[in-house]
Amino acid sequence: MILIVGANGRLGNVVVPHLLAQGKSIRVMTRNPLGLAHLKQQGAEIVSGDLRDRASLASACQGVEQVLAAAHALDGKGGNNPRTVDDMGNRHLIDAAKAAGVKHFIFVSVQGASPDSPLEFLRIKYRTEEYLRTSGLSFTILRPGAYMELWAQLIGQPIREQGKTTIFGRGKNPINFVSVQNVARFVSIALDDPRTRNVVIEVGGPENLSMNQVAEIFERASGRQAKKRHIPLPIMRVMSVLMQPLNPAISRLIRNGIYMDTANLRFEAADTARAFGIQLTSLAEIAGRVTTNSFQLVTMDSFK
């Protein structure tokens, strides 16, 4: 039995059907069981639970051999935030998994997680990694880069539908983007491949692209030149401070935008992908699917 936490997110939406198709026994923990009724119809066991509720975690972990922790609250509001979910919640999940005798724990972190990151979210992810490392559990830590599918929605879809898009910052900073399909493949491998035990795997895509280049790829795919509006970095820095007491979630997302426009986010993923037999998806492929209506985008609310 594999417990999936975060099944209604971008990665979970890909991983769960894939594992069910392989005949694996899947239990999905969610705050909204009715919202995942389609997975129950496909054969998954659906249980009610919340990373902020320790009792529900203990119950969800009973009889489970492996856990995939893929939930996050970067854009969460109120009591659903990185400190309660990504930090404390994941620690409680690790404790519950250990108490239940879980054999292997897969944690989906993020590229750039470190103790001295300028982003609290990445510092929290690193603390969770360290907690898992010292827990005594067998583990795999996956650190994916920015999901292509998310930025296809945020930058590419407006180009296709409206002929315009918004870029936060200068849009000149190279970033490694990875398809969620490739990350899902790494998850599948981590469940069975002994080479993934007790290691951190950086998961990236085939190219380092700036946001301006992302927009250009979608322009070519859609066959139309888009009007691109840039939000200047100074304005973003001011807004991140002003929004903190009013809307912490928006403030976090703005700070994340600043980070993506200024930090070193280059990564070379070819060797790791080759070692595990994974063919990396390019952003041009994603753009082609979007512009031919054969690619379904999901909302920001499901990226949790």
Side-chain angles (χ1 to χ4, degrees):
M1 175 72 75
I2 304 166
L3 173 65
I4 310 289
V5 180
N8 60 337
R10 198 174 297 271
L11 178 59
N13 273 324
V14 176
V15 167
V16 176
H18 176 68
L19 296 179
L20 288 171
Q22 291 182 333
K24 293 189 181 293
S25 180
I26 303 297
R27 176 183 295 166
V28 171
M29 189 190 84
T30 176
R31 291 178 295 169
N32 180 24
L34 292 178
L36 295 180
H38 62 289
L39 294 180
K40 184 176 182 179
Q41 294 175 352
Q42 295 176 40
E45 177 188 350
I46 311 297
V47 299
S48 180
D50 191 321
L51 282 169
R52 299 167 298 174
D53 178 0
R54 297 189 74 167
S56 71
L57 302 181
S59 177
C61 286
Q62 291 303 313
V64 167
E65 292 187 349
Q66 298 195 73
V67 171
L68 169 64
H72 79 75
L74 176 61
D75 58 340
K77 300 176 182 178
N80 181 48
N81 59 64
R83 293 182 182 180
T84 60
V85 173
D86 298 87
D87 195 350
M88 193 65 69
N90 276 323
R91 290 174 185 239
H92 289 164
L93 180 60
I94 292 167
D95 291 342
K98 184 175 181 179
V102 167
K103 295 179 180 179
H104 185 224
F105 194 106
I106 302 172
F107 175 58
V108 181
S109 183
V110 64
Q111 276 188 20
S114 72
D116 55 357
S117 170
L119 293 182
E120 181 190 34
F121 185 71
L122 298 186
R123 298 195 298 271
I124 286 174
K125 286 296 188 184
Y126 182 80
R127 288 201 299 268
T128 302
E129 291 181 5
E130 287 296 285
Y131 194 79
L132 178 58
R133 284 189 186 97
T134 60
S135 68
L137 285 167
S138 169
F139 67 85
T140 304
I141 295 170
L142 300 177
R143 288 181 177 172
Y147 287 160
M148 291 179 181
E149 289 79 359
L150 172 62
W151 293 98
Q153 177 186 336
L154 297 179
I155 291 183
Q157 191 173 18
I159 290 175
R160 170 178 167 268
E161 296 179 351
Q162 305 166 27
K164 61 182 180 180
T165 196
T166 299
I167 295 173
F168 292 90
R170 302 159 300 173
K172 298 179 180 180
N173 193 45
I175 300 164
N176 189 268
F177 295 91
V178 63
S179 171
V180 69
Q181 297 282 347
N182 296 155
V183 181
R185 178 69 180 124
F186 271 100
V187 169
S188 181
I189 291 171
L191 290 167
D192 299 317
D193 193 328
R195 292 178 298 168
T196 68
R197 296 304 185 260
N198 301 323
V199 297
V200 177
I201 302 176
E202 304 278 353
V203 182
E207 303 165 288
N208 296 299
L209 301 167
S210 70
M211 290 296 185
N212 290 334
Q213 289 174 315
V214 170
E216 290 168 5
I217 288 171
F218 281 94
E219 285 178 313
R220 288 195 295 270
S222 63
R224 64 192 303 183
Q225 187 169 358
K227 180 179 180 181
K228 294 179 279 292
R229 180 172 71 104
H230 289 260
I231 308 298
L233 277 173
I235 291 179
M236 293 172 66
R237 291 190 172 102
V238 170
M239 290 304 297
S240 70
V241 175
L242 294 179
M243 291 301 296
Q244 177 59 38
L246 303 173
N247 192 326
I250 294 297
S251 178
R252 286 194 297 272
L253 292 175
I254 295 173
R255 289 198 296 271
N256 187 70
I258 295 169
Y259 175 80
M260 293 187 74
D261 199 52
T262 57
N264 180 6
L265 300 179
R266 289 179 177 270
F267 180 68
E268 301 303 325
D271 289 345
T272 301
R274 191 179 304 112
F276 288 100
I278 295 177
Q279 177 102 25
L280 294 176
T281 304
S282 71
L283 185 63
E285 292 176 69
I286 299 295
R289 297 175 201 170
V290 171
T291 54
T292 58
N293 290 315
S294 62
F295 179 78
Q296 183 177 1
L297 294 169
V298 296
T299 65
M300 274 292 289
D301 288 340
S302 66
F303 191 54
K304 300 198 272 288

